[in-house]
Amino acid sequence: MFKKILIANRGEIALRVIRACREMGIATVAVYSEADRGSRHVQQADEARFLGPPPPLESYLNIEAILSAAGKSGAEAIHPGYGFLAENALFARRCEESGIAFIGPDSKALALVGDKVASRRTAASIQVPLVPGMMAASRSMREFEEAVESIGYPVLVKASGGGGGKGMHIVRSTKELHSAVETSRREARSAFGDDSVYLEKYIERPRHVEFQILADHHGNVVHLFERECSIQRRYQKILEETPSVALDNDLRRRMGRTAVAIMKATHYTNAGTVEFLLDQDRNFYFLEVNARIQVEHPVTELVLGVDLVKQQIRIACGEKLPFRQEDLAQRGHAIECRIYAENPEQDFLPGPGRIILAREPEGPGIRCDSGIYSGIEVSSFYDPILSKLIVWSEDRETARRRMIAALNDYTILGIPTTIGFLADVLDHPEFAAGRTHTHFINQHLPNWKPRGSDSVLLDIALVASALSGSKHSGARQGARQLESPTPWQTTGKWEIGGSRHGL
Ligand code: ADP
């Protein structure tokens, strides 16, 4: 097993990987930018290496700076988390060349699945159902027009190297086509440095259903069932759950088998996710492969009883999967809510700033993967995710109620968050009935406003208690308060009488 791993990421996912390493007896190296000097991942790792100024290209996307930090610290492996360099084939190749294990698929598999058009072609070659559309990116308007003639409106313009919902535009008529293609190309160039775009049939009100995969280096590939991620804003997930109410066992088996076949065809190793759209007639279509640990991985962990990050590390180290497909079964129901520093009243506009007070919910079946504390400055340079609240219970309805209660117990003051909005999604009768689709938010919660004003009084009381510094405020009871770290937590490793103590 590796003795030391560098985590090329920040925030909640860096902490998640640190926790897995600790339990496995592996030392951790954090990396950080100027904006993250006071971050929890820096304090919690065994050592930390400074990368550079806050802009991602000068820090978390700086391949050579990260490899140099790994070399200097003697790390044998790098965990990329999600985002930043996680799906960067060049980074994976540079790790391979430097003799450092990349905890993810190899650079060839990454290059194959990282491009949407290339992975559509692979899926088609093994007869996997695809969303009808182009099989190659194009620059010719004539080719776009011809594609529309065969697939029919509405269509979706998508970036070949896309991610995070960027560069996607719905087109419902020929007069919109030209400008949508140009806009998408421009956005793709600035977001991914690649302006290849293509067209897909736009599926109306689908569900997003994806399958978690683990594949080792000995030819074993299993799926760990589905996650439903239909609750989205700007084509990006904000709430995920498993199992999906839309699948019966037959459909689940067919989709799971298809997902495994795609990963086998690409010689994929490590953890990955195969995404599908499920239309209203329950036909499924391959969407893309996400070649990394997903933000929403905890719901699978809770329902399968498998630690996916530890499995990633074991696979990268050459170990065999410890289970076969028939050993895996779903138990109970899990829901995850992504807590973003965003304002749902203003079209989810990111709202960075200082968190005055953070208070996390706790209780049976509640997990909070968080990267924040009271007093932290949320930077505008990075993805505005603050934490993930995950609940498990024996069935969907109990999990739904548990999540609403946990959200009501979750306080983050000083910046806008998605907490109140998510509670209203869960409380909606259509959500309770399981009638979810990717346009749920636009259809059921347009122009959302927070309900009632009684929470304001609690907020005022909490701010007053935070400012007075009282440790015994009644307003704080019932949940964990995340204080800014004391010197005892930030000093790092120190020595007494020759023995080493980690704080
Ligand atoms: P990204 O890689 O940017 O996340 P995806 O291809 O994974 O893009 O799609 C993200 C979301 O966009 C999907 O979950 C779905 O809501 C929507 N979407 C993508 N393709 C289609 C399509 N052909 N029809 C309808 N919705 C789509």
Side-chain angles (χ1 to χ4, degrees):
M1 182 44 66
F2 304 123
K3 292 195 173 56
K4 197 185 259 193
I5 291 178
L6 180 141
I7 299 140
N9 216 300
R10 62 185 297 282
E12 70 84 21
I13 192 62
L15 284 155
R16 168 72 189 87
V17 179
I18 290 171
R19 287 194 184 103
C21 290
R22 266 193 203 146
E23 288 176 22
M24 296 173 83
I26 300 170
T28 52
V29 184
V31 288
Y32 63 99
S33 74
E34 189 63 53
D36 280 341
R37 277 189 189 282
S39 290
R40 282 175 64 198
H41 77 282
V42 176
Q43 293 142 15
Q44 302 273 323
D46 295 298
E47 56 186 282
R49 302 251 159 196
F50 178 66
L51 289 176
L57 277 173
E58 296 174 59
S59 51
Y60 299 102
L61 288 175
N62 186 337
I63 293 178
E64 295 312 317
I66 290 170
L67 287 173
S68 150
K72 284 186 192 140
S73 58
E76 302 150 88
I78 296 183
H79 195 300
Y82 55 71
F84 295 125
L85 295 169
E87 292 178 280
N88 186 312
L90 173 64
F91 181 55
R93 188 156 57 75
R94 288 289 295 115
C95 289
E96 287 156 14
E97 289 163 0
S98 313
I100 294 173
F102 175 78
I103 302 177
D106 66 30
S107 54
K108 277 204 208 102
L110 254 184
L112 192 58
V113 300
D115 182 284
K116 285 187 203 289
V117 175
S119 62
R120 272 170 71 78
R121 281 201 290 264
T122 307
S125 73
I126 54 165
Q127 281 78 50
V128 166
L130 289 180
V131 182
M134 291 165 68
M135 299 305 286
S138 174
R139 286 173 192 283
S140 142
M141 239 7 247
R142 185 68 218 128
E143 278 181 28
F144 285 109
E145 283 162 11
E146 278 167 15
V148 176
E149 272 163 32
S150 77
I151 58 183
Y153 288 110
V155 293
L156 195 61
V157 189
K158 293 177 81 166
S160 213
K166 294 196 185 91
M168 266 193 259
H169 292 277
I170 304 175
V171 182
R172 293 190 183 273
S173 68
T174 306
K175 66 177 190 309
E176 299 165 19
L177 183 63
H178 196 276
S179 70
V181 167
E182 285 310 317
T183 310
S184 176
R185 188 172 278 162
R186 221 176 19 251
E187 289 171 359
R189 195 181 308 125
S190 89
F192 319 112
D194 169 11
D195 67 356
S196 315
V197 302
Y198 70 106
L199 294 184
E200 268 178 22
K201 175 81 185 166
Y202 178 70
I203 312 241
E204 302 277 3
R205 293 164 36 111
R207 291 180 190 249
H208 174 118
V209 178
E210 60 186 31
F211 274 71
Q212 175 69 52
I213 299 290
L214 284 176
D216 66 18
H217 292 276
H218 306 273
N220 303 304
V221 187
V222 297
H223 72 77
L224 290 92
F225 299 92
E226 79 277 11
R227 293 183 286 258
E228 177 163 343
C229 316
S230 301
I231 306 297
Q232 304 182 349
R233 43 96 181 83
R234 290 194 297 260
Y235 303 113
Q236 278 188 290
K237 306 155 189 170
I238 190 166
L239 184 156
E240 303 93 348
E241 62 181 313
T242 188
S244 163
V245 298
L247 307 193
D248 57 21
N249 281 339
D250 173 55
L251 184 53
R252 181 171 286 121
R253 236 188 327 268
R254 285 190 286 127
M255 291 178 79
R257 260 205 307 260
T258 305
V260 167
I262 290 171
M263 293 313 223
K264 283 190 171 159
T266 54
H267 303 290
Y268 191 95
T269 51
N270 215 283
T273 295
V274 180
E275 297 189 328
F276 298 100
L277 291 181
L278 189 66
D279 73 13
Q280 294 174 63
D281 300 322
R282 300 172 78 243
N283 300 305
F284 67 88
Y285 306 93
F286 168 72
L287 198 56
E288 65 164 348
V289 171
N290 281 152
R292 53 173 154 82
I293 192 82
Q294 299 271 88
V295 178
E296 59 273 24
H297 76 276
V299 292
T300 300
E301 295 189 320
L302 296 186
V303 164
L304 270 294
V306 171
D307 186 314
L308 289 168
V309 176
K310 286 187 190 165
Q311 289 305 327
Q312 284 192 291
I313 295 171
R314 294 204 171 104
I315 290 170
C317 207
E319 289 186 19
K320 279 190 178 159
L321 287 178
F323 32 65
R324 291 160 304 172
Q325 189 65 59
E326 52 272 32
D327 301 325
L328 297 166
Q330 295 164 297
R331 189 176 153 260
H333 198 98
I335 306 177
E336 173 183 279
C337 281
R338 300 188 187 189
I339 314 299
Y340 280 105
E342 288 179 354
N343 190 343
E345 286 182 83
Q346 286 176 24
D347 202 18
F348 298 90
L349 188 72
R354 199 170 111 86
I355 294 180
I356 300 173
L357 190 87
R359 201 181 66 158
E360 282 175 355
E362 57 190 3
I366 295 176
R367 163 174 165 183
C368 196
D369 283 16
S370 160
I372 57 168
Y373 57 82
S374 298
I376 196 172
E377 189 72 34
V378 177
S379 168
S380 58
F381 282 101
Y382 313 116
D383 184 70
I385 195 160
L386 300 172
S387 70
K388 300 173 332 202
L389 182 59
I390 311 109
V391 304
W392 179 92
S393 194
E394 53 277 14
D395 56 54
R396 184 174 191 264
E397 180 54 15
T398 328
R400 187 183 74 86
R401 287 168 186 263
R402 181 168 286 175
M403 180 59 95
I404 293 172
L407 287 166
N408 290 338
D409 265 356
Y410 203 158
T411 303
I412 296 176
L413 301 181
I415 53 170
T417 75
T418 47
I419 294 173
F421 176 81
L422 286 161
D424 284 354
V425 170
L426 284 141
D427 207 22
H428 197 285
E430 288 295 294
F431 183 90
R435 284 191 286 271
T436 52
H437 55 79
T438 58
H439 285 268
F440 186 96
I441 290 177
N442 292 346
Q443 182 177 347
H444 298 300
L445 293 120
N447 313 314
W448 177 86
K449 294 265 174 290
R451 281 191 266 174
S453 58
D454 48 344
S455 65
V456 172
L457 282 178
L458 175 65
D459 288 359
I460 292 167
L462 285 165
V463 173
S465 96
L467 294 177
S468 74
S470 160
K471 296 263 179 218
H472 305 290
S473 162
R476 286 178 178 173
Q477 282 172 9
R480 218 166 349 138
Q481 189 195 329
L482 303 167
E483 295 284 2
S484 54
T486 67
W488 294 103
Q489 292 164 308
T490 56
T491 317
K493 298 276 187 194
W494 54 290
E495 312 243 338
I496 300 179
S499 68
R500 219 152 173 250
H501 295 261
L503 289 174

